[in-house]
Amino acid sequence: MKDLVLIGGGHSHAIALREFAMNPLPGIRITLISDVLQTPYSGMLPGYLAGFYTFEEAHIDLRPLANLAQAEFYCDRAIGLDLQQNQVFCANHPPIRFDILSIDIGSTPATLNVPGAATYAIPAKPVPQLLASWHKFQEKVLQSPQQSRSLATVGGGAGGVELTLSIQAHLNKLLAPKYRKNIEYHLFHRSSHILSSHSRYAARTLSQIMERRGIYLHLNQSVTRLEKQPSERLKLDCESGLTIECDEVFWVTQAAAPDWISGSGLSTDNRGFIQVNDHLQSISHSNIFASGDIATLLNNPRPKAGVFAVRQGKPLFENLCLILQEKPLISYHPQQQFLTLIGTGNGKAVASRGRFGLGPLRLIWTWKDWIDRRFMDQFNS
Ligand SMILES: Cc1cc2nc3c(=O)[nH]c(=O)nc-3n(C[C@H](O)[C@H](O)[C@H](O)COP(=O)(O)OP(=O)(O)OC[C@H]3O[C@@H](n4cnc5c(N)ncnc54)[C@H](O)[C@@H]3O)c2cc1C
């Protein structure tokens, strides 16, 4: 009996588990270690914040999936690896032994080491923390809608832009029109334009939408410090000398990897992500695979986006089966350009692919909604 251990219930592992459920491999014992029971689907996360989806619609329940794949499920957090003894260390369980290991644990926002950020900001990941803080903030707003408040987002990539537009749209739906002006929104980005890795069209269009909706865009601004004031409000300082007082700060900066990955001895890139070859296999440890945000494809590096974590699900499953059967592995080549559909929180979306863009259109949102629901249906049916 060989032991296959999966750490994290990210997009690729959800797909791999579904494949194992439909195509069981004899002689294999599968263990899933996940720190959550329901894992968020990134495509629907901003729509969930905007109030378009329920929690269940925007999350994949890992329990039935693990059950169908006949996998043992440890709801726990992996905190380290012993690569000599082939063991995973968990926060609350004894070490778990593996013959083959696969890691799909996503990423967390970088630069949380900016003084005060780790203490006072709300990081976009882990998602359960983000959602808990968001629900708490909504409650506060509803309890005293007459109070003036200010919300800041740090990071002007697709995640930060979509999050800001989604929360503004949702709060506008919750609040009576006379109270809507009581909330100010700020977005800080260190480059000269938002959405640096998307088309100029998408960057320009979404900047215009944000400006039209009264969101203050602070471009070329690097946040250097967050401090709590005696008034309980947060003071946000930028390198340029700009200072803003706000009540909540969402931290949606570039992706970073947890320290225990590089600390384990796996070969990582300069940002701590696991370096993998075209088989999604660690370049330093051939019995370890990685996919999604936590992996960096040595030959074809791509931005950290859910679309790649999804696309890697099937090749990962195939290679896990092949290595367990001691057969040659297949190669995975990610697409050069990828389509991004960015929701504006009000039932419209902007499409961006390579140098091209389209929208905002209701039709693009309907299309995105159809794609996302179809993706989720495969785990429910
Ligand atoms: C606000 C926001 C909006 C976004 N919108 C989009 C979008 O519309 N489209 C898109 O393509 N991308 C989007 N992204 C990026 C996207 O979220 C990530 O690229 C994607 O989630 C990566 O998928 P993954 O499978 O690598 O990891 P994840 O989806 O992060 O899954 C990792 C899983 O592993 C679990 N885990 C983590 N650490 C451990 C541990 N130590 N032990 C056990 N379990 C662990 C986590 O709880 C989680 O369930 C967005 C990001 C943010 C922040």
Side-chain angles (χ1 to χ4, degrees), residues 186-200:
H186 296 263
L187 187 134
F188 294 82
H189 189 54
R190 60 158 53 125
S191 308
S192 57
H193 59 274
I194 57 167
L195 299 168
S196 320
S197 53
H198 296 270
S199 64
R200 296 292 290 199

mmCIF file with all atom_site columns, all heavy atoms in Angstrom, residues 186-200:
data_model
loop_
_atom_site.group_PDB
_atom_site.id
_atom_site.type_symbol
_atom_site.label_atom_id
_atom_site.label_alt_id
_atom_site.label_comp_id
_atom_site.label_asym_id
_atom_site.label_entity_id
_atom_site.label_seq_id
_atom_site.pdbx_PDB_ins_code
_atom_site.Cartn_x
_atom_site.Cartn_y
_atom_site.Cartn_z
_atom_site.occupancy
_atom_site.B_iso_or_equiv
_atom_site.pdbx_formal_charge
_atom_site.auth_seq_id
_atom_site.auth_comp_id
_atom_site.auth_asym_id
_atom_site.auth_atom_id
_atom_site.pdbx_PDB_model_num
ATOM 1   N N   . HIS A 1 186 ? -10.652 54.017 -0.462  1.00 0.00 ? 186 HIS A N   1
ATOM 2   C CA  . HIS A 1 186 ? -9.331  54.410 -0.982  1.00 0.00 ? 186 HIS A CA  1
ATOM 3   C C   . HIS A 1 186 ? -8.628  53.156 -1.497  1.00 0.00 ? 186 HIS A C   1
ATOM 4   O O   . HIS A 1 186 ? -8.714  52.099 -0.862  1.00 0.00 ? 186 HIS A O   1
ATOM 5   C CB  . HIS A 1 186 ? -8.458  54.993 0.131   1.00 0.00 ? 186 HIS A CB  1
ATOM 6   C CG  . HIS A 1 186 ? -8.998  56.258 0.708   1.00 0.00 ? 186 HIS A CG  1
ATOM 7   N ND1 . HIS A 1 186 ? -8.573  57.502 0.310   1.00 0.00 ? 186 HIS A ND1 1
ATOM 8   C CD2 . HIS A 1 186 ? -9.942  56.463 1.664   1.00 0.00 ? 186 HIS A CD2 1
ATOM 9   C CE1 . HIS A 1 186 ? -9.233  58.426 1.000   1.00 0.00 ? 186 HIS A CE1 1
ATOM 10  N NE2 . HIS A 1 186 ? -10.069 57.817 1.829   1.00 0.00 ? 186 HIS A NE2 1
ATOM 11  N N   . LEU A 1 187 ? -7.941  53.289 -2.615  1.00 0.00 ? 187 LEU A N   1
ATOM 12  C CA  . LEU A 1 187 ? -7.121  52.162 -3.087  1.00 0.00 ? 187 LEU A CA  1
ATOM 13  C C   . LEU A 1 187 ? -5.691  52.657 -3.315  1.00 0.00 ? 187 LEU A C   1
ATOM 14  O O   . LEU A 1 187 ? -5.485  53.658 -4.005  1.00 0.00 ? 187 LEU A O   1
ATOM 15  C CB  . LEU A 1 187 ? -7.700  51.571 -4.369  1.00 0.00 ? 187 LEU A CB  1
ATOM 16  C CG  . LEU A 1 187 ? -6.979  50.289 -4.811  1.00 0.00 ? 187 LEU A CG  1
ATOM 17  C CD1 . LEU A 1 187 ? -7.964  49.198 -5.191  1.00 0.00 ? 187 LEU A CD1 1
ATOM 18  C CD2 . LEU A 1 187 ? -6.045  50.538 -5.974  1.00 0.00 ? 187 LEU A CD2 1
ATOM 19  N N   . PHE A 1 188 ? -4.735  51.963 -2.705  1.00 0.00 ? 188 PHE A N   1
ATOM 20  C CA  . PHE A 1 188 ? -3.319  52.343 -2.817  1.00 0.00 ? 188 PHE A CA  1
ATOM 21  C C   . PHE A 1 188 ? -2.595  51.334 -3.712  1.00 0.00 ? 188 PHE A C   1
ATOM 22  O O   . PHE A 1 188 ? -2.742  50.125 -3.514  1.00 0.00 ? 188 PHE A O   1
ATOM 23  C CB  . PHE A 1 188 ? -2.649  52.339 -1.429  1.00 0.00 ? 188 PHE A CB  1
ATOM 24  C CG  . PHE A 1 188 ? -3.209  53.395 -0.523  1.00 0.00 ? 188 PHE A CG  1
ATOM 25  C CD1 . PHE A 1 188 ? -4.380  53.173 0.180   1.00 0.00 ? 188 PHE A CD1 1
ATOM 26  C CD2 . PHE A 1 188 ? -2.563  54.613 -0.386  1.00 0.00 ? 188 PHE A CD2 1
ATOM 27  C CE1 . PHE A 1 188 ? -4.901  54.152 1.010   1.00 0.00 ? 188 PHE A CE1 1
ATOM 28  C CE2 . PHE A 1 188 ? -3.083  55.597 0.443   1.00 0.00 ? 188 PHE A CE2 1
ATOM 29  C CZ  . PHE A 1 188 ? -4.256  55.363 1.131   1.00 0.00 ? 188 PHE A CZ  1
ATOM 30  N N   . HIS A 1 189 ? -1.850  51.875 -4.658  1.00 0.00 ? 189 HIS A N   1
ATOM 31  C CA  . HIS A 1 189 ? -1.097  50.979 -5.539  1.00 0.00 ? 189 HIS A CA  1
ATOM 32  C C   . HIS A 1 189 ? 0.270   51.597 -5.799  1.00 0.00 ? 189 HIS A C   1
ATOM 33  O O   . HIS A 1 189 ? 0.372   52.800 -6.031  1.00 0.00 ? 189 HIS A O   1
ATOM 34  C CB  . HIS A 1 189 ? -1.874  50.810 -6.854  1.00 0.00 ? 189 HIS A CB  1
ATOM 35  C CG  . HIS A 1 189 ? -1.308  49.748 -7.736  1.00 0.00 ? 189 HIS A CG  1
ATOM 36  N ND1 . HIS A 1 189 ? -1.088  48.460 -7.306  1.00 0.00 ? 189 HIS A ND1 1
ATOM 37  C CD2 . HIS A 1 189 ? -0.906  49.786 -9.030  1.00 0.00 ? 189 HIS A CD2 1
ATOM 38  C CE1 . HIS A 1 189 ? -0.586  47.748 -8.300  1.00 0.00 ? 189 HIS A CE1 1
ATOM 39  N NE2 . HIS A 1 189 ? -0.459  48.536 -9.352  1.00 0.00 ? 189 HIS A NE2 1
ATOM 40  N N   . ARG A 1 190 ? 1.309   50.746 -5.800  1.00 0.00 ? 190 ARG A N   1
ATOM 41  C CA  . ARG A 1 190 ? 2.652   51.338 -5.883  1.00 0.00 ? 190 ARG A CA  1
ATOM 42  C C   . ARG A 1 190 ? 3.083   51.689 -7.315  1.00 0.00 ? 190 ARG A C   1
ATOM 43  O O   . ARG A 1 190 ? 4.024   52.434 -7.501  1.00 0.00 ? 190 ARG A O   1
ATOM 44  C CB  . ARG A 1 190 ? 3.695   50.462 -5.192  1.00 0.00 ? 190 ARG A CB  1
ATOM 45  C CG  . ARG A 1 190 ? 3.895   49.080 -5.680  1.00 0.00 ? 190 ARG A CG  1
ATOM 46  C CD  . ARG A 1 190 ? 5.276   48.579 -5.268  1.00 0.00 ? 190 ARG A CD  1
ATOM 47  N NE  . ARG A 1 190 ? 5.512   48.731 -3.834  1.00 0.00 ? 190 ARG A NE  1
ATOM 48  C CZ  . ARG A 1 190 ? 5.872   47.747 -3.035  1.00 0.00 ? 190 ARG A CZ  1
ATOM 49  N NH1 . ARG A 1 190 ? 6.007   46.539 -3.521  1.00 0.00 ? 190 ARG A NH1 1
ATOM 50  N NH2 . ARG A 1 190 ? 6.104   47.966 -1.770  1.00 0.00 ? 190 ARG A NH2 1
ATOM 51  N N   . SER A 1 191 ? 2.371   51.200 -8.345  1.00 0.00 ? 191 SER A N   1
ATOM 52  C CA  . SER A 1 191 ? 2.743   51.549 -9.729  1.00 0.00 ? 191 SER A CA  1
ATOM 53  C C   . SER A 1 191 ? 1.923   52.738 -10.214 1.00 0.00 ? 191 SER A C   1
ATOM 54  O O   . SER A 1 191 ? 1.009   53.197 -9.530  1.00 0.00 ? 191 SER A O   1
ATOM 55  C CB  . SER A 1 191 ? 2.478   50.376 -10.664 1.00 0.00 ? 191 SER A CB  1
ATOM 56  O OG  . SER A 1 191 ? 3.086   49.226 -10.169 1.00 0.00 ? 191 SER A OG  1
ATOM 57  N N   . SER A 1 192 ? 2.236   53.136 -11.467 1.00 0.00 ? 192 SER A N   1
ATOM 58  C CA  . SER A 1 192 ? 1.564   54.324 -12.009 1.00 0.00 ? 192 SER A CA  1
ATOM 59  C C   . SER A 1 192 ? 0.172   53.995 -12.539 1.00 0.00 ? 192 SER A C   1
ATOM 60  O O   . SER A 1 192 ? -0.612  54.878 -12.829 1.00 0.00 ? 192 SER A O   1
ATOM 61  C CB  . SER A 1 192 ? 2.414   54.941 -13.113 1.00 0.00 ? 192 SER A CB  1
ATOM 62  O OG  . SER A 1 192 ? 2.643   53.952 -14.086 1.00 0.00 ? 192 SER A OG  1
ATOM 63  N N   . HIS A 1 193 ? -0.133  52.688 -12.737 1.00 0.00 ? 193 HIS A N   1
ATOM 64  C CA  . HIS A 1 193 ? -1.502  52.320 -13.093 1.00 0.00 ? 193 HIS A CA  1
ATOM 65  C C   . HIS A 1 193 ? -1.866  50.979 -12.462 1.00 0.00 ? 193 HIS A C   1
ATOM 66  O O   . HIS A 1 193 ? -0.993  50.150 -12.221 1.00 0.00 ? 193 HIS A O   1
ATOM 67  C CB  . HIS A 1 193 ? -1.738  52.318 -14.611 1.00 0.00 ? 193 HIS A CB  1
ATOM 68  C CG  . HIS A 1 193 ? -0.847  51.385 -15.359 1.00 0.00 ? 193 HIS A CG  1
ATOM 69  N ND1 . HIS A 1 193 ? 0.406   51.729 -15.778 1.00 0.00 ? 193 HIS A ND1 1
ATOM 70  C CD2 . HIS A 1 193 ? -1.038  50.106 -15.747 1.00 0.00 ? 193 HIS A CD2 1
ATOM 71  C CE1 . HIS A 1 193 ? 0.945   50.704 -16.399 1.00 0.00 ? 193 HIS A CE1 1
ATOM 72  N NE2 . HIS A 1 193 ? 0.094   49.700 -16.391 1.00 0.00 ? 193 HIS A NE2 1
ATOM 73  N N   . ILE A 1 194 ? -3.175  50.820 -12.200 1.00 0.00 ? 194 ILE A N   1
ATOM 74  C CA  . ILE A 1 194 ? -3.636  49.574 -11.578 1.00 0.00 ? 194 ILE A CA  1
ATOM 75  C C   . ILE A 1 194 ? -3.562  48.437 -12.605 1.00 0.00 ? 194 ILE A C   1
ATOM 76  O O   . ILE A 1 194 ? -3.334  48.685 -13.791 1.00 0.00 ? 194 ILE A O   1
ATOM 77  C CB  . ILE A 1 194 ? -5.080  49.720 -11.026 1.00 0.00 ? 194 ILE A CB  1
ATOM 78  C CG1 . ILE A 1 194 ? -6.053  50.156 -12.139 1.00 0.00 ? 194 ILE A CG1 1
ATOM 79  C CG2 . ILE A 1 194 ? -5.127  50.668 -9.847  1.00 0.00 ? 194 ILE A CG2 1
ATOM 80  C CD1 . ILE A 1 194 ? -7.518  50.021 -11.761 1.00 0.00 ? 194 ILE A CD1 1
ATOM 81  N N   . LEU A 1 195 ? -3.771  47.217 -12.171 1.00 0.00 ? 195 LEU A N   1
ATOM 82  C CA  . LEU A 1 195 ? -3.833  46.031 -13.036 1.00 0.00 ? 195 LEU A CA  1
ATOM 83  C C   . LEU A 1 195 ? -2.620  45.936 -13.964 1.00 0.00 ? 195 LEU A C   1
ATOM 84  O O   . LEU A 1 195 ? -2.762  45.764 -15.176 1.00 0.00 ? 195 LEU A O   1
ATOM 85  C CB  . LEU A 1 195 ? -5.127  46.058 -13.866 1.00 0.00 ? 195 LEU A CB  1
ATOM 86  C CG  . LEU A 1 195 ? -6.433  46.041 -13.064 1.00 0.00 ? 195 LEU A CG  1
ATOM 87  C CD1 . LEU A 1 195 ? -7.609  46.372 -13.947 1.00 0.00 ? 195 LEU A CD1 1
ATOM 88  C CD2 . LEU A 1 195 ? -6.649  44.692 -12.425 1.00 0.00 ? 195 LEU A CD2 1
ATOM 89  N N   . SER A 1 196 ? -1.424  46.073 -13.373 1.00 0.00 ? 196 SER A N   1
ATOM 90  C CA  . SER A 1 196 ? -0.193  46.136 -14.169 1.00 0.00 ? 196 SER A CA  1
ATOM 91  C C   . SER A 1 196 ? -0.022  44.931 -15.086 1.00 0.00 ? 196 SER A C   1
ATOM 92  O O   . SER A 1 196 ? 0.578   45.044 -16.162 1.00 0.00 ? 196 SER A O   1
ATOM 93  C CB  . SER A 1 196 ? 1.019   46.237 -13.247 1.00 0.00 ? 196 SER A CB  1
ATOM 94  O OG  . SER A 1 196 ? 0.736   47.089 -12.177 1.00 0.00 ? 196 SER A OG  1
ATOM 95  N N   . SER A 1 197 ? -0.538  43.748 -14.704 1.00 0.00 ? 197 SER A N   1
ATOM 96  C CA  . SER A 1 197 ? -0.307  42.575 -15.563 1.00 0.00 ? 197 SER A CA  1
ATOM 97  C C   . SER A 1 197 ? -1.514  42.264 -16.440 1.00 0.00 ? 197 SER A C   1
ATOM 98  O O   . SER A 1 197 ? -1.671  41.131 -16.909 1.00 0.00 ? 197 SER A O   1
ATOM 99  C CB  . SER A 1 197 ? 0.093   41.366 -14.708 1.00 0.00 ? 197 SER A CB  1
ATOM 100 O OG  . SER A 1 197 ? -0.855  41.163 -13.691 1.00 0.00 ? 197 SER A OG  1
ATOM 101 N N   . HIS A 1 198 ? -2.378  43.273 -16.665 1.00 0.00 ? 198 HIS A N   1
ATOM 102 C CA  . HIS A 1 198 ? -3.532  43.066 -17.547 1.00 0.00 ? 198 HIS A CA  1
ATOM 103 C C   . HIS A 1 198 ? -3.487  44.095 -18.675 1.00 0.00 ? 198 HIS A C   1
ATOM 104 O O   . HIS A 1 198 ? -2.585  44.932 -18.720 1.00 0.00 ? 198 HIS A O   1
ATOM 105 C CB  . HIS A 1 198 ? -4.823  43.171 -16.739 1.00 0.00 ? 198 HIS A CB  1
ATOM 106 C CG  . HIS A 1 198 ? -4.934  42.086 -15.706 1.00 0.00 ? 198 HIS A CG  1
ATOM 107 N ND1 . HIS A 1 198 ? -5.524  40.878 -15.970 1.00 0.00 ? 198 HIS A ND1 1
ATOM 108 C CD2 . HIS A 1 198 ? -4.482  42.009 -14.437 1.00 0.00 ? 198 HIS A CD2 1
ATOM 109 C CE1 . HIS A 1 198 ? -5.439  40.113 -14.887 1.00 0.00 ? 198 HIS A CE1 1
ATOM 110 N NE2 . HIS A 1 198 ? -4.805  40.780 -13.948 1.00 0.00 ? 198 HIS A NE2 1
ATOM 111 N N   . SER A 1 199 ? -4.472  44.023 -19.591 1.00 0.00 ? 199 SER A N   1
ATOM 112 C CA  . SER A 1 199 ? -4.436  44.925 -20.743 1.00 0.00 ? 199 SER A CA  1
ATOM 113 C C   . SER A 1 199 ? -4.590  46.378 -20.295 1.00 0.00 ? 199 SER A C   1
ATOM 114 O O   . SER A 1 199 ? -5.203  46.659 -19.269 1.00 0.00 ? 199 SER A O   1
ATOM 115 C CB  . SER A 1 199 ? -5.568  44.562 -21.713 1.00 0.00 ? 199 SER A CB  1
ATOM 116 O OG  . SER A 1 199 ? -6.822  44.775 -21.101 1.00 0.00 ? 199 SER A OG  1
ATOM 117 N N   . ARG A 1 200 ? -4.040  47.299 -21.103 1.00 0.00 ? 200 ARG A N   1
ATOM 118 C CA  . ARG A 1 200 ? -4.170  48.730 -20.811 1.00 0.00 ? 200 ARG A CA  1
ATOM 119 C C   . ARG A 1 200 ? -5.644  49.113 -20.791 1.00 0.00 ? 200 ARG A C   1
ATOM 120 O O   . ARG A 1 200 ? -6.075  49.960 -20.034 1.00 0.00 ? 200 ARG A O   1
ATOM 121 C CB  . ARG A 1 200 ? -3.453  49.574 -21.886 1.00 0.00 ? 200 ARG A CB  1
ATOM 122 C CG  . ARG A 1 200 ? -1.952  49.359 -21.947 1.00 0.00 ? 200 ARG A CG  1
ATOM 123 C CD  . ARG A 1 200 ? -1.242  49.861 -20.749 1.00 0.00 ? 200 ARG A CD  1
ATOM 124 N NE  . ARG A 1 200 ? -1.238  51.314 -20.654 1.00 0.00 ? 200 ARG A NE  1
ATOM 125 C CZ  . ARG A 1 200 ? -0.396  52.000 -19.906 1.00 0.00 ? 200 ARG A CZ  1
ATOM 126 N NH1 . ARG A 1 200 ? 0.514   51.360 -19.202 1.00 0.00 ? 200 ARG A NH1 1
ATOM 127 N NH2 . ARG A 1 200 ? -0.452  53.305 -19.835 1.00 0.00 ? 200 ARG A NH2 1
#
